[in-house]
Amino acid sequence: MRRPLVTGNWKMHGSRSTIRALMTALCHGVKDRGAADILVLPPAIYIPDVIRLADGTRIAVGAQNVGDQDQGAYTGEIAADMLADFGCSHALVGHSERRLLYGETDALVAARFAAAQRHGLTPIFCVGETLEQRDAGETEAVVGAQLDVVAAKVGALALERAVVAYEPVWAIGTGRAASPEQAQAVHAFIRAHLATHGAGATRMRLLYGGSVKADMAGELFAMPDIDGALVGGASLKANEFLNIIARAD
Ligand code: 13P
């Protein structure tokens, strides 16, 4: 049985006070909201605050990105062992905003993935196609190629210890989520593709991300290959995020 994982990616939103308020509401609210694993990804500078606020609750904390190198002269980067040092458990790698707005290549994503695992962090490895690629019928080719680059760098066993998030670029922040059937079709493809690399794909958790809201979360989570969600905007609203969590059992 794969345990559901609901992750909130806060992106570059918030302040110390809004984040304290959000965490206070979440810590209180998760007590009676099922048994899914819960993870939040604050902007890096707030990670220590959030770790402190989450102490003693079932909310885990991770990072939105992670350095591709161990320590050294890499201005602006945060190393995986620094994140682990503060108690982070996960790091997002390859989010489409990193790929498209900051020019991150598949090779860099693969290096970040490997660095995260070297220091005990679980990578949440994001893949997904643009609208043009979907319309051209290239979804599986694009997603497959994104998986292949990382598989070639880290190997099947490492892949198996990660979480994969399918986030179609056209669904992120647009209010136009993939339908549960569309998401399921790509998740089934991802699981089969991971298996061709020799990864124990039936054990891996695959998350869907892109305009997830509470009103459709139940249908998404009912799909056989969808094991949770990577939630952006809706994770900044405590009640909405708690209602998504409640549907993930
Ligand atoms: P939205 O839920 O705001 O569409 O963002 C999804 C996302 O990018 C999560 O990583």
Side-chain angles (χ1 to χ4, degrees):
M1 244 331 251
R2 298 182 298 262
R3 226 174 131 82
L5 170 63
V6 181
T7 298
N9 174 9
W10 296 349
K11 306 191 181 183
M12 198 172 75
H13 291 289
S15 65
R16 281 192 111 168
S17 70
T18 63
I19 284 175
R20 192 178 313 110
L22 176 58
M23 280 304 290
T24 303
L26 290 181
C27 290
H28 181 73
V30 295
K31 287 183 193 146
D32 56 359
R33 296 293 203 299
D37 287 340
I38 303 163
L39 173 70
V40 294
L41 308 173
I45 195 165
Y46 297 119
I47 285 172
D49 278 3
V50 174
I51 297 244
R52 242 186 333 270
L53 291 162
D55 191 34
T57 75
R58 53 193 259 253
I59 302 176
V61 182
Q64 297 174 15
N65 202 2
V66 57
D68 59 312
Q69 304 288 328
D70 299 332
Q71 306 209 355
Y74 302 101
T75 301
E77 292 288 293
I78 300 176
D81 66 343
M82 298 172 184
L83 296 170
D85 201 14
F86 271 86
C88 286
S89 54
H90 293 70
L92 217 54
V93 300
H95 192 282
S96 62
E97 287 154 13
R98 300 296 321 168
R99 294 176 188 265
L100 298 170
L101 303 176
Y102 297 96
E104 293 197 5
T105 61
D106 283 327
L108 178 56
V109 172
R112 293 193 190 284
F113 182 115
Q117 282 191 335
R118 276 200 299 282
H119 297 282
L121 300 179
T122 300
I124 300 182
F125 169 33
C126 304
V127 296
E129 81 288 3
T130 63
L131 189 57
E132 293 68 34
Q133 291 165 333
R134 171 161 283 260
D135 288 347
E138 294 168 3
T139 299
E140 293 190 359
V142 168
V143 170
Q146 289 169 336
L147 295 170
D148 292 345
V149 174
V150 170
K153 160 113 182 149
V154 303
L157 286 181
L159 209 53
E160 199 174 291
R161 290 186 287 107
V163 174
V164 173
Y166 169 57
E167 294 208 307
V169 176
W170 48 271
I172 295 178
T174 59
R176 180 187 163 193
S179 69
E181 293 74 21
Q182 280 175 319
Q184 163 59 27
V186 182
H187 280 229
F189 164 77
I190 291 172
R191 208 177 291 285
H193 196 79
L194 290 166
T196 67
H197 283 287
T202 52
R203 290 193 295 277
M204 291 180 63
R205 294 197 284 194
L206 309 185
L207 312 183
Y208 167 78
S211 296
V212 174
K213 305 273 184 311
D215 60 5
M216 39 86 84
E219 268 186 276
L220 265 181
F221 299 152
M223 292 289 154
D225 289 296
I226 299 179
D227 307 312
L230 180 52
V231 186
S235 71
L236 296 165
K237 300 177 197 140
N239 276 339
E240 184 74 13
F241 193 53
L242 288 166
N243 286 336
I244 294 170
I245 291 165
R247 288 171 174 77
D249 278 319

mmCIF file of all heavy atoms in Angstrom, residues 205-243:
data_model
loop_
_atom_site.group_PDB
_atom_site.id
_atom_site.type_symbol
_atom_site.label_atom_id
_atom_site.label_comp_id
_atom_site.label_asym_id
_atom_site.label_seq_id
_atom_site.Cartn_x
_atom_site.Cartn_y
_atom_site.Cartn_z
ATOM 1 N N ARG A 205 5.752 6.641 -4.880
ATOM 2 C CA ARG A 205 4.614 7.552 -4.801
ATOM 3 C C ARG A 205 4.687 8.566 -5.945
ATOM 4 O O ARG A 205 5.717 9.202 -6.155
ATOM 5 C CB ARG A 205 4.599 8.265 -3.456
ATOM 6 C CG ARG A 205 4.335 7.268 -2.338
ATOM 7 C CD ARG A 205 3.918 7.936 -1.075
ATOM 8 N NE ARG A 205 5.031 8.542 -0.388
ATOM 9 C CZ ARG A 205 4.959 8.964 0.874
ATOM 10 N NH1 ARG A 205 3.841 8.852 1.558
ATOM 11 N NH2 ARG A 205 5.997 9.504 1.454
ATOM 12 N N LEU A 206 3.583 8.702 -6.633
ATOM 13 C CA LEU A 206 3.480 9.646 -7.745
ATOM 14 C C LEU A 206 2.420 10.688 -7.393
ATOM 15 O O LEU A 206 1.262 10.338 -7.126
ATOM 16 C CB LEU A 206 3.074 8.932 -9.044
ATOM 17 C CG LEU A 206 3.882 7.702 -9.470
ATOM 18 C CD1 LEU A 206 3.401 7.207 -10.832
ATOM 19 C CD2 LEU A 206 5.379 8.010 -9.532
ATOM 20 N N LEU A 207 2.827 11.955 -7.395
ATOM 21 C CA LEU A 207 1.913 13.046 -7.032
ATOM 22 C C LEU A 207 1.462 13.790 -8.274
ATOM 23 O O LEU A 207 2.224 13.936 -9.229
ATOM 24 C CB LEU A 207 2.626 14.055 -6.111
ATOM 25 C CG LEU A 207 3.403 13.508 -4.920
ATOM 26 C CD1 LEU A 207 3.969 14.673 -4.104
ATOM 27 C CD2 LEU A 207 2.511 12.630 -4.052
ATOM 28 N N TYR A 208 0.256 14.303 -8.227
ATOM 29 C CA TYR A 208 -0.199 15.199 -9.284
ATOM 30 C C TYR A 208 -0.154 16.633 -8.769
ATOM 31 O O TYR A 208 -0.539 16.909 -7.622
ATOM 32 C CB TYR A 208 -1.642 14.871 -9.725
ATOM 33 C CG TYR A 208 -2.176 16.001 -10.578
ATOM 34 C CD1 TYR A 208 -1.783 16.110 -11.911
ATOM 35 C CD2 TYR A 208 -2.976 17.013 -10.031
ATOM 36 C CE1 TYR A 208 -2.187 17.197 -12.680
ATOM 37 C CE2 TYR A 208 -3.390 18.096 -10.800
ATOM 38 C CZ TYR A 208 -2.984 18.175 -12.118
ATOM 39 O OH TYR A 208 -3.369 19.259 -12.872
ATOM 40 N N GLY A 209 0.289 17.570 -9.609
ATOM 41 C CA GLY A 209 0.273 18.996 -9.257
ATOM 42 C C GLY A 209 -0.204 19.837 -10.415
ATOM 43 O O GLY A 209 0.081 19.534 -11.586
ATOM 44 N N GLY A 210 -0.921 20.913 -10.099
ATOM 45 C CA GLY A 210 -1.430 21.825 -11.118
ATOM 46 C C GLY A 210 -2.870 22.168 -10.818
ATOM 47 O O GLY A 210 -3.776 21.388 -11.119
ATOM 48 N N SER A 211 -3.066 23.344 -10.156
ATOM 49 C CA SER A 211 -4.411 23.843 -9.835
ATOM 50 C C SER A 211 -5.246 22.861 -9.018
ATOM 51 O O SER A 211 -6.471 22.777 -9.198
ATOM 52 C CB SER A 211 -5.156 24.239 -11.129
ATOM 53 O OG SER A 211 -4.491 25.321 -11.757
ATOM 54 N N VAL A 212 -4.602 22.122 -8.117
ATOM 55 C CA VAL A 212 -5.362 21.215 -7.239
ATOM 56 C C VAL A 212 -6.149 22.037 -6.217
ATOM 57 O O VAL A 212 -5.606 22.939 -5.589
ATOM 58 C CB VAL A 212 -4.432 20.224 -6.501
ATOM 59 C CG1 VAL A 212 -5.218 19.400 -5.481
ATOM 60 C CG2 VAL A 212 -3.716 19.317 -7.490
ATOM 61 N N LYS A 213 -7.429 21.700 -6.105
ATOM 62 C CA LYS A 213 -8.303 22.340 -5.111
ATOM 63 C C LYS A 213 -9.041 21.222 -4.370
ATOM 64 O O LYS A 213 -9.128 20.098 -4.855
ATOM 65 C CB LYS A 213 -9.358 23.223 -5.791
ATOM 66 C CG LYS A 213 -8.790 24.289 -6.727
ATOM 67 C CD LYS A 213 -8.461 25.564 -5.967
ATOM 68 C CE LYS A 213 -7.987 26.706 -6.855
ATOM 69 N NZ LYS A 213 -6.941 26.388 -7.812
ATOM 70 N N ALA A 214 -9.622 21.589 -3.229
ATOM 71 C CA ALA A 214 -10.292 20.574 -2.414
ATOM 72 C C ALA A 214 -11.459 19.922 -3.154
ATOM 73 O O ALA A 214 -11.693 18.719 -3.018
ATOM 74 C CB ALA A 214 -10.781 21.198 -1.110
ATOM 75 N N ASP A 215 -12.162 20.705 -3.975
ATOM 76 C CA ASP A 215 -13.384 20.146 -4.578
ATOM 77 C C ASP A 215 -13.108 19.030 -5.584
ATOM 78 O O ASP A 215 -14.002 18.253 -5.885
ATOM 79 C CB ASP A 215 -14.260 21.250 -5.198
ATOM 80 C CG ASP A 215 -13.535 22.029 -6.293
ATOM 81 O OD1 ASP A 215 -12.394 21.656 -6.639
ATOM 82 O OD2 ASP A 215 -14.110 23.012 -6.789
ATOM 83 N N MET A 216 -11.890 18.943 -6.108
ATOM 84 C CA MET A 216 -11.611 17.849 -7.038
ATOM 85 C C MET A 216 -10.583 16.858 -6.489
ATOM 86 O O MET A 216 -10.248 15.875 -7.147
ATOM 87 C CB MET A 216 -11.154 18.390 -8.398
ATOM 88 C CG MET A 216 -10.242 19.605 -8.347
ATOM 89 S SD MET A 216 -8.518 19.252 -8.162
ATOM 90 C CE MET A 216 -8.133 18.968 -9.882
ATOM 91 N N ALA A 217 -10.107 17.109 -5.279
ATOM 92 C CA ALA A 217 -9.032 16.267 -4.741
ATOM 93 C C ALA A 217 -9.497 14.818 -4.538
ATOM 94 O O ALA A 217 -8.744 13.876 -4.796
ATOM 95 C CB ALA A 217 -8.510 16.858 -3.431
ATOM 96 N N GLY A 218 -10.735 14.646 -4.100
ATOM 97 C CA GLY A 218 -11.241 13.296 -3.850
ATOM 98 C C GLY A 218 -11.198 12.444 -5.114
ATOM 99 O O GLY A 218 -10.759 11.292 -5.093
ATOM 100 N N GLU A 219 -11.640 13.035 -6.222
ATOM 101 C CA GLU A 219 -11.638 12.306 -7.509
ATOM 102 C C GLU A 219 -10.218 11.991 -7.968
ATOM 103 O O GLU A 219 -9.962 10.910 -8.500
ATOM 104 C CB GLU A 219 -12.279 13.195 -8.579
ATOM 105 C CG GLU A 219 -13.748 13.019 -8.776
ATOM 106 C CD GLU A 219 -14.170 13.869 -9.964
ATOM 107 O OE1 GLU A 219 -14.418 15.077 -9.749
ATOM 108 O OE2 GLU A 219 -14.231 13.342 -11.077
ATOM 109 N N LEU A 220 -9.330 12.941 -7.769
ATOM 110 C CA LEU A 220 -7.921 12.704 -8.141
ATOM 111 C C LEU A 220 -7.343 11.547 -7.346
ATOM 112 O O LEU A 220 -6.730 10.627 -7.893
ATOM 113 C CB LEU A 220 -7.081 13.934 -7.790
ATOM 114 C CG LEU A 220 -6.790 15.003 -8.806
ATOM 115 C CD1 LEU A 220 -5.929 16.068 -8.149
ATOM 116 C CD2 LEU A 220 -6.097 14.453 -10.043
ATOM 117 N N PHE A 221 -7.553 11.609 -6.025
ATOM 118 C CA PHE A 221 -6.936 10.609 -5.142
ATOM 119 C C PHE A 221 -7.555 9.221 -5.318
ATOM 120 O O PHE A 221 -6.986 8.227 -4.895
ATOM 121 C CB PHE A 221 -7.015 11.046 -3.675
ATOM 122 C CG PHE A 221 -6.293 12.339 -3.376
ATOM 123 C CD1 PHE A 221 -6.702 13.160 -2.334
ATOM 124 C CD2 PHE A 221 -5.193 12.734 -4.129
ATOM 125 C CE1 PHE A 221 -6.047 14.360 -2.053
ATOM 126 C CE2 PHE A 221 -4.523 13.932 -3.859
ATOM 127 C CZ PHE A 221 -4.955 14.739 -2.820
ATOM 128 N N ALA A 222 -8.734 9.186 -5.937
ATOM 129 C CA ALA A 222 -9.367 7.880 -6.182
ATOM 130 C C ALA A 222 -8.723 7.147 -7.364
ATOM 131 O O ALA A 222 -8.965 5.968 -7.567
ATOM 132 C CB ALA A 222 -10.858 8.074 -6.438
ATOM 133 N N MET A 223 -7.921 7.855 -8.135
ATOM 134 C CA MET A 223 -7.282 7.230 -9.303
ATOM 135 C C MET A 223 -6.178 6.268 -8.838
ATOM 136 O O MET A 223 -5.439 6.594 -7.899
ATOM 137 C CB MET A 223 -6.684 8.308 -10.213
ATOM 138 C CG MET A 223 -7.740 9.162 -10.880
ATOM 139 S SD MET A 223 -8.601 8.190 -12.131
ATOM 140 C CE MET A 223 -10.170 9.029 -12.194
ATOM 141 N N PRO A 224 -6.057 5.120 -9.512
ATOM 142 C CA PRO A 224 -5.166 4.083 -8.976
ATOM 143 C C PRO A 224 -3.682 4.457 -8.929
ATOM 144 O O PRO A 224 -2.959 3.951 -8.081
ATOM 145 C CB PRO A 224 -5.387 2.897 -9.927
ATOM 146 C CG PRO A 224 -6.077 3.459 -11.127
ATOM 147 C CD PRO A 224 -6.831 4.660 -10.664
ATOM 148 N N ASP A 225 -3.237 5.347 -9.821
ATOM 149 C CA ASP A 225 -1.802 5.673 -9.826
ATOM 150 C C ASP A 225 -1.483 7.049 -9.262
ATOM 151 O O ASP A 225 -0.360 7.522 -9.393
ATOM 152 C CB ASP A 225 -1.249 5.541 -11.253
ATOM 153 C CG ASP A 225 -1.182 4.069 -11.657
ATOM 154 O OD1 ASP A 225 -0.416 3.334 -11.011
ATOM 155 O OD2 ASP A 225 -1.935 3.659 -12.563
ATOM 156 N N ILE A 226 -2.474 7.697 -8.658
ATOM 157 C CA ILE A 226 -2.241 9.026 -8.067
ATOM 158 C C ILE A 226 -2.184 8.871 -6.547
ATOM 159 O O ILE A 226 -3.148 8.464 -5.914
ATOM 160 C CB ILE A 226 -3.341 10.024 -8.500
ATOM 161 C CG1 ILE A 226 -3.302 10.177 -10.031
ATOM 162 C CG2 ILE A 226 -3.151 11.372 -7.802
ATOM 163 C CD1 ILE A 226 -4.343 11.116 -10.610
ATOM 164 N N ASP A 227 -1.012 9.179 -5.996
ATOM 165 C CA ASP A 227 -0.768 8.891 -4.573
ATOM 166 C C ASP A 227 -0.720 10.153 -3.718
ATOM 167 O O ASP A 227 -0.204 10.124 -2.597
ATOM 168 C CB ASP A 227 0.567 8.138 -4.433
ATOM 169 C CG ASP A 227 0.609 6.918 -5.333
ATOM 170 O OD1 ASP A 227 -0.363 6.145 -5.324
ATOM 171 O OD2 ASP A 227 1.600 6.752 -6.079
ATOM 172 N N GLY A 228 -1.204 11.253 -4.273
ATOM 173 C CA GLY A 228 -1.188 12.479 -3.501
ATOM 174 C C GLY A 228 -1.059 13.658 -4.429
ATOM 175 O O GLY A 228 -1.186 13.526 -5.649
ATOM 176 N N ALA A 229 -0.792 14.816 -3.835
ATOM 177 C CA ALA A 229 -0.785 16.045 -4.632
ATOM 178 C C ALA A 229 0.365 16.949 -4.240
ATOM 179 O O ALA A 229 0.848 16.916 -3.103
ATOM 180 C CB ALA A 229 -2.106 16.778 -4.437
ATOM 181 N N LEU A 230 0.774 17.733 -5.213
ATOM 182 C CA LEU A 230 1.727 18.824 -4.990
ATOM 183 C C LEU A 230 0.933 20.101 -5.256
ATOM 184 O O LEU A 230 0.580 20.395 -6.396
ATOM 185 C CB LEU A 230 2.920 18.671 -5.945
ATOM 186 C CG LEU A 230 4.027 19.719 -5.871
ATOM 187 C CD1 LEU A 230 4.544 19.904 -4.454
ATOM 188 C CD2 LEU A 230 5.191 19.307 -6.786
ATOM 189 N N VAL A 231 0.617 20.792 -4.178
ATOM 190 C CA VAL A 231 -0.364 21.885 -4.231
ATOM 191 C C VAL A 231 0.348 23.220 -4.133
ATOM 192 O O VAL A 231 1.156 23.425 -3.216
ATOM 193 C CB VAL A 231 -1.347 21.754 -3.036
ATOM 194 C CG1 VAL A 231 -2.456 22.791 -3.147
ATOM 195 C CG2 VAL A 231 -1.922 20.339 -2.941
ATOM 196 N N GLY A 232 0.060 24.123 -5.038
ATOM 197 C CA GLY A 232 0.648 25.464 -4.973
ATOM 198 C C GLY A 232 -0.285 26.418 -4.258
ATOM 199 O O GLY A 232 -0.401 26.407 -3.032
ATOM 200 N N GLY A 233 -0.991 27.243 -5.040
ATOM 201 C CA GLY A 233 -1.828 28.308 -4.476
ATOM 202 C C GLY A 233 -2.737 27.875 -3.335
ATOM 203 O O GLY A 233 -2.827 28.572 -2.315
ATOM 204 N N ALA A 234 -3.386 26.730 -3.476
ATOM 205 C CA ALA A 234 -4.349 26.306 -2.451
ATOM 206 C C ALA A 234 -3.669 25.912 -1.144
ATOM 207 O O ALA A 234 -4.323 25.816 -0.103
ATOM 208 C CB ALA A 234 -5.207 25.151 -2.976
ATOM 209 N N SER A 235 -2.346 25.704 -1.168
ATOM 210 C CA SER A 235 -1.660 25.331 0.077
ATOM 211 C C SER A 235 -1.381 26.554 0.952
ATOM 212 O O SER A 235 -0.933 26.430 2.090
ATOM 213 C CB SER A 235 -0.355 24.579 -0.217
ATOM 214 O OG SER A 235 0.628 25.438 -0.747
ATOM 215 N N LEU A 236 -1.644 27.745 0.414
ATOM 216 C CA LEU A 236 -1.433 28.966 1.195
ATOM 217 C C LEU A 236 -2.668 29.335 1.999
ATOM 218 O O LEU A 236 -2.639 30.265 2.802
ATOM 219 C CB LEU A 236 -1.071 30.129 0.263
ATOM 220 C CG LEU A 236 0.248 29.969 -0.488
ATOM 221 C CD1 LEU A 236 0.343 30.970 -1.638
ATOM 222 C CD2 LEU A 236 1.434 30.127 0.458
ATOM 223 N N LYS A 237 -3.761 28.604 1.755
ATOM 224 C CA LYS A 237 -5.011 28.855 2.495
ATOM 225 C C LYS A 237 -5.227 27.658 3.402
ATOM 226 O O LYS A 237 -5.478 26.542 2.906
ATOM 227 C CB LYS A 237 -6.173 28.991 1.520
ATOM 228 C CG LYS A 237 -5.986 30.144 0.537
ATOM 229 C CD LYS A 237 -7.145 30.162 -0.450
ATOM 230 C CE LYS A 237 -6.791 31.013 -1.661
ATOM 231 N NZ LYS A 237 -7.250 30.432 -2.928
ATOM 232 N N ALA A 238 -5.135 27.880 4.706
ATOM 233 C CA ALA A 238 -5.135 26.755 5.644
ATOM 234 C C ALA A 238 -6.351 25.841 5.448
ATOM 235 O O ALA A 238 -6.204 24.624 5.349
ATOM 236 C CB ALA A 238 -5.080 27.268 7.083
ATOM 237 N N ASN A 239 -7.542 26.431 5.351
ATOM 238 C CA ASN A 239 -8.731 25.574 5.265
ATOM 239 C C ASN A 239 -8.765 24.760 3.987
ATOM 240 O O ASN A 239 -9.127 23.586 3.995
ATOM 241 C CB ASN A 239 -10.011 26.414 5.362
ATOM 242 C CG ASN A 239 -10.347 26.651 6.817
ATOM 243 O OD1 ASN A 239 -9.885 25.897 7.696
ATOM 244 N ND2 ASN A 239 -11.106 27.706 7.073
ATOM 245 N N GLU A 240 -8.389 25.402 2.887
ATOM 246 C CA GLU A 240 -8.401 24.706 1.599
ATOM 247 C C GLU A 240 -7.386 23.550 1.626
ATOM 248 O O GLU A 240 -7.679 22.433 1.201
ATOM 249 C CB GLU A 240 -8.061 25.718 0.489
ATOM 250 C CG GLU A 240 -8.127 25.176 -0.915
ATOM 251 C CD GLU A 240 -9.550 24.958 -1.441
ATOM 252 O OE1 GLU A 240 -10.515 25.449 -0.825
ATOM 253 O OE2 GLU A 240 -9.680 24.278 -2.477
ATOM 254 N N PHE A 241 -6.194 23.822 2.155
ATOM 255 C CA PHE A 241 -5.169 22.777 2.206
ATOM 256 C C PHE A 241 -5.610 21.642 3.139
ATOM 257 O O PHE A 241 -5.460 20.459 2.815
ATOM 258 C CB PHE A 241 -3.839 23.386 2.655
ATOM 259 C CG PHE A 241 -2.646 22.486 2.459
ATOM 260 C CD1 PHE A 241 -2.374 21.899 1.220
ATOM 261 C CD2 PHE A 241 -1.771 22.222 3.512
ATOM 262 C CE1 PHE A 241 -1.263 21.062 1.039
ATOM 263 C CE2 PHE A 241 -0.661 21.396 3.336
ATOM 264 C CZ PHE A 241 -0.406 20.820 2.103
ATOM 265 N N LEU A 242 -6.197 21.995 4.263
ATOM 266 C CA LEU A 242 -6.678 20.963 5.198
ATOM 267 C C LEU A 242 -7.781 20.120 4.564
ATOM 268 O O LEU A 242 -7.843 18.901 4.773
ATOM 269 C CB LEU A 242 -7.184 21.619 6.488
ATOM 270 C CG LEU A 242 -6.084 22.185 7.398
ATOM 271 C CD1 LEU A 242 -6.682 23.101 8.465
ATOM 272 C CD2 LEU A 242 -5.270 21.058 8.050
ATOM 273 N N ASN A 243 -8.605 20.756 3.751
ATOM 274 C CA ASN A 243 -9.673 19.992 3.089
ATOM 275 C C ASN A 243 -9.105 19.062 2.020
ATOM 276 O O ASN A 243 -9.649 17.986 1.775
ATOM 277 C CB ASN A 243 -10.713 20.934 2.487
ATOM 278 C CG ASN A 243 -11.590 21.546 3.569
ATOM 279 O OD1 ASN A 243 -11.734 20.966 4.652
ATOM 280 N ND2 ASN A 243 -12.156 22.714 3.313
#
